[in-house]
Amino acid sequence: MFQSSETLERSRQPEIRQAAMPRFPDYPLVNMNCGARAVILNDPEADGVRLEFVLPAGSSREAQPLAAQFTIALLREGTQAHPGTRLIKKLDRHGAFVELQASADYAWLTAYAHKRNVASILPLLGEMLTSPELKEKPFQLYRKRQLTRFRTEMLRTRTLASRSFRKLLYADSCYSNVPEESDYLTLKPDDIREFYHTRYGARGMWVIAAGNIGEQWLHTLDNQLAGFVGQGPDFVLTPPGTNAATGQHYVQKADALQSSIVMGRLVVDRRHPDFAALSLTNTILGGYFGSRLMSNLREDKGYTYGIYSQIQSQELATQLTISADVGAEVTAQALDQIRFELRRLQHEAVPDQELELVKNYLSGSYAQALDGVFNQALRLRGLLPVGLGLNYYENLMHEIQQTDAAKVMEIARKYLDPDQMLCVVAGNQAVDN
C-alpha cells in the first residue's frame, strides 16, 4: 500500500543508512562418495532449485586451445541414454533451464528447475556429466557458429585490445591462451573427447545446490555420479611471472572510428591484507557510475559513453583493468585524463563525503548481490574452489568500512602507478596522433 503524501517530507533528503549484509544459511560441507564435495543452501520457501557443478576444467588446463569451451558446450548435445535432441526435449518437458560455461579456471553446468521436477532432472544432469555423446555432427555445427561469432568479434577494437592485453600481461603463463582462427579450423572431435576424458571427473568437482532441496537429493545424485572418477593426471598450472609487461602498445585498425583502451596490471589476491582497501580504491576510481573516471571522461570531457575499472580474480592471478571506448581523435587526451585520475588518487586525500558515499554504495551492492540463496550460490562458485566461504564478504565489508583516506592514498601509490601499468590501445593510430 502506498503511503499518504501528507506523511512524506519531500523537501529533505532521506537519511542515508548503511545496508546490512544478508543473513547466510548454514551450509555444511558434504563429502560425496563419488569424490565430489557439495554444499546445500536450503530455502524451504523457494519454489525453485538451482544445481551447479563446478569442474576444474577451464582453458588454463587445456593442451589444445578451445577444448574447454567446446567440451562444456557439447554436453547438451545428447547422452548415451538420450542421444541427440532427445536430451534437450526431455529437459524442456521438465521445465529445466541449463547453462554451460567455461572460464580460464573452471567449467560450469548450472540447471534451474521447479522443486517438483528435481527427481526427474537429476538423472539427466548425471548423464550429461558422465556419458555425453560428443559426436561429430553437433561439433561441426557448434564450430561453424563459433567461428562466425569469432570473425565478427575480431572486427571490434574492444576485442582486439582485450586479446592483446591478455597475451602481454600473462605471457608464458597458463592464462595467456587466446584462441586464433586457425585454432577453430584445426580443432577436432578427438581433441574434445581427450579433454573430457582427462579433465572431467568427480575428483575436484564442487556441487552447489540452492533452493528448496534437501540433503537426500545428494544421495540420489551420488548414485548418478558413481564411476565418474576418470580424471587424468593433475595438470600443472604455470602462474604469471613477477615481471609482467608494462608500457603502451598499439593494435592498428585502419578503418576504426574509435579507439579501445585497456590499461591495468596484476594485483594482490583476495586473501591479501591490502585487498579490501584496493577494492574500495578501485570503486572510487572507476567501479561505479559516479566514479572519478566516469565523471571526468564521460560527464565532463565527453570522450566516451562509459569507462570502468574492475578487479578480476582467477585461481593464480588477480588483475585490475581500466577499459573504455573513446573517439579516435581524443585517444591521447583520454589517456592523459586516465593517468591524471590515477595520480590524483596517489597525491590527494579522498574527501570524507566521497569516501562515505562509495562505502555506502559498496555495502548496498554487496547486500543486493548476496540477497537470497540463489545469489549466494552464484558467489560461492568462485569462492569454494579457492577455500573461501560466504563469510569472506562479511570480512571484506568490515575491512572496507575501516579504511580511511590515508589508506586509500597508500594503496593508490602501491598499486595504481600508471608507469607500472600495461596499456593497450586498438584503433587507427594515424588519427589518434
Side-chain angles (χ1 to χ4, degrees):
M1 178 180 293
F2 291 105
Q3 193 173 5
S4 167
S5 59
E6 295 178 359
T7 65
L8 294 175
E9 175 52 78
R10 296 184 184 278
S11 62
R12 288 189 303 177
Q13 176 181 313
E15 181 184 355
I16 296 176
R17 300 176 184 173
Q18 188 182 117
M21 290 290 276
R23 184 174 178 275
F24 301 135
D26 294 329
Y27 52 95
L29 171 65
V30 178
N31 289 310
M32 300 172 68
N33 292 330
C34 64
R37 288 168 290 178
V39 293
I40 295 179
L41 291 89
N42 187 34
D43 180 359
E45 301 298 319
D47 289 328
V49 170
R50 181 184 191 274
L51 285 165
E52 185 158 65
F53 304 85
V54 185
L55 296 126
S59 61
S60 60
R61 291 173 168 83
E62 62 189 12
Q64 177 71 30
L66 297 168
Q69 174 195 334
F70 274 61
T71 302
I72 190 71
L74 292 176
L75 294 189
R76 73 165 81 244
E77 302 296 339
T79 67
Q80 301 300 327
H82 294 86
T85 59
R86 286 179 57 191
L87 174 68
I88 291 296
K89 288 178 180 176
K90 198 154 188 177
L91 287 168
D92 288 345
R93 193 179 308 147
H94 295 300
F97 174 70
V98 175
E99 290 180 322
L100 300 163
Q101 305 170 68
S103 70
D105 291 315
Y106 309 108
W108 301 293
L109 188 163
T110 313
Y112 299 87
H114 194 276
K115 61 184 179 183
R116 65 171 176 264
N117 293 331
V118 172
S120 301
I121 68 164
L122 277 181
L124 299 174
L125 299 179
E127 285 178 27
M128 291 174 71
L129 288 168
T130 60
S131 58
E133 281 196 299
L134 303 178
K135 297 184 77 172
E136 173 86 20
K137 185 176 179 180
F139 167 83
Q140 296 293 353
L141 289 173
Y142 182 73
R143 176 164 69 175
K144 184 178 180 181
R145 292 195 300 270
Q146 293 305 307
L147 187 54
T148 300
R149 181 178 178 181
F150 172 81
R151 287 167 174 162
T152 303
E153 282 292 316
M154 290 297 287
L155 299 174
R156 304 173 63 197
T157 53
R158 183 181 300 182
T159 301
L160 298 176
S162 297
R163 286 167 54 88
S164 180
F165 182 85
R166 187 169 192 85
K167 285 181 186 176
L168 290 165
L169 188 70
Y170 292 110
D172 301 323
S173 80
C174 59
Y175 296 125
S176 64
N177 196 356
V178 178
E180 305 291 345
E181 180 166 334
S182 59
D183 295 320
Y184 288 89
L185 298 173
T186 57
L187 190 69
K188 303 182 295 294
D190 283 346
D191 298 323
I192 307 306
R193 296 176 192 126
E194 172 70 14
F195 186 80
Y196 170 78
H197 287 299
T198 55
R199 302 265 56 89
Y200 276 54
R203 185 163 64 95
M205 183 174 76
W206 281 93
V207 180
I208 305 172
N212 197 333
I213 185 169
E215 192 169 329
Q216 72 275 14
W217 293 114
L218 282 187
H219 300 302
T220 303
L221 185 61
D222 218 347
N223 293 330
Q224 295 293 326
L225 298 177
F228 188 44
V229 293
Q231 195 171 16
D234 289 335
F235 194 92
V236 179
L237 297 174
T238 306
T242 54
N243 296 318
T246 58
Q248 187 165 321
H249 302 258
Y250 230 98
V251 181
Q252 175 66 4
K253 191 172 191 309
D255 60 349
L257 299 178
Q258 66 178 18
S259 298
S260 292
I261 298 169
V262 181
M263 182 186 292
R265 56 167 294 177
L266 296 175
V267 293
V268 293
D269 68 19
R270 288 174 288 195
R271 290 189 179 82
H272 195 279
D274 285 346
F275 189 80
L278 180 61
S279 296
L280 176 62
T281 307
N282 168 68
T283 308
I284 296 168
L285 174 67
Y288 73 116
F289 195 76
S291 70
R292 292 186 169 193
L293 288 174
M294 191 71 88
S295 299
N296 184 340
L297 279 82
R298 176 192 154 98
E299 303 299 325
D300 186 32
K301 306 294 190 309
Y303 293 160
T304 179
Y305 285 113
I307 179 168
Y308 296 94
S309 65
Q310 61 179 329
I311 298 174
Q312 294 171 291
S313 295
Q314 301 167 110
E315 197 169 309
L316 297 181
T318 304
Q319 69 178 54
L320 182 149
T321 52
I322 301 163
S323 55
D325 297 331
V326 302
E329 69 283 1
V330 295
T331 304
Q333 295 93 321
L335 287 169
D336 286 344
Q337 291 304 314
I338 292 171
R339 292 177 177 122
F340 166 78
E341 293 298 349
L342 289 167
R343 292 195 172 100
R344 188 154 74 102
L345 279 169
Q346 292 181 303
H347 300 291
E348 292 180 10
V350 177
D352 290 344
Q353 187 177 8
E354 182 182 5
L355 196 59
E356 288 306 306
L357 184 149
V358 175
K359 287 180 180 179
N360 287 333
Y361 166 79
L362 283 173
S363 67
S365 295
Y366 280 117
Q368 182 182 37
L370 293 163
D371 185 28
V373 292
F374 284 14
N375 283 329
Q376 292 161 11
L378 178 63
R379 297 288 168 175
L380 269 180
R381 78 179 186 184
L383 296 175
L384 290 173
V386 294
L388 298 172
L390 289 173
N391 63 342
Y392 159 77
Y393 289 107
E394 292 177 323
N395 298 333
L396 179 69
M397 277 312 305
H398 175 74
E399 292 178 31
I400 285 175
Q401 293 300 334
Q402 305 306 310
T403 303
D404 59 18
K407 182 66 177 178
V408 170
M409 198 183 305
E410 175 193 329
I411 290 295
R413 288 174 177 168
K414 205 169 179 179
Y415 300 105
L416 299 186
D417 182 355
D419 295 333
Q420 297 299 314
M421 289 188 176
L422 170 65
C423 177
V424 175
V425 180
N428 187 352
Q429 192 170 11
V431 176
D432 296 352
N433 290 329

